[in-house]
Amino acid sequence: GTDITLNIPVSTKEASGTSWEKVIINGNILVTTPAGSVPEVIVDNKNGLVVNDDLSNLQKRLVDAIELVKSNKHAEWMRNTISSSYFVTTHRMFDDVLKLYS
């Protein structure tokens, strides 16, 4: 296992993504681009660390994640991630899949 997971798909190429969902269900720290269903669930600096699509802030976000693991805020972070892991709208995912493959 790991405390930090990096998820950096290209925003227009990801319909949903289940890997990052598993990360937050387990209360781990997610460092991710705003791809697929991420914007529906992830609030930057609350239950995930969002990386710009051009990855210009990737190094900073990874350092932020390491700082969270070392800090006493990790338990609060885990509560935030687990409590936000219950919804991703199927309707939006279906629309994205249609756009990708039509």
Side-chain angles (χ1 to χ4, degrees):
T2 178
D3 291 327
I4 301 168
T5 300
L6 179 61
N7 177 60
I8 53 170
V10 177
S11 288
T12 58
K13 304 291 183 197
E14 181 73 63
S16 172
T18 57
S19 297
W20 72 265
E21 293 170 7
K22 294 171 193 153
V23 172
I24 67 169
I25 287 169
N26 288 307
N28 294 352
I29 297 170
L30 175 66
V31 179
T32 184
T33 55
S37 54
V38 166
E40 294 174 43
V41 180
I42 300 303
V43 176
D44 192 32
N45 289 312
K46 181 179 179 196
N47 61 351
L49 298 170
V50 179
V51 175
N52 298 333
D53 281 327
D54 65 2
L55 306 181
S56 60
N57 65 338
L58 177 59
Q59 182 177 1
K60 180 187 180 326
R61 303 290 29 204
L62 289 172
V63 169
D64 292 344
I66 293 166
E67 299 279 329
L68 274 168
V69 171
K70 291 179 177 180
S71 76
N72 60 358
K73 296 179 183 178
H74 196 206
E76 178 185 347
W77 188 273
M78 290 174 72
R79 283 191 295 278
N80 289 342
T81 60
I82 292 168
S83 67
S84 63
S85 65
Y86 67 91
F87 75 92
V88 171
T89 64
T90 304
H91 179 72
R92 205 268 320 127
M93 288 188 308
F94 184 72
D95 285 346
D96 280 2
V97 169
L98 287 177
K99 288 176 196 170
L100 284 172
Y101 296 105
S102 56

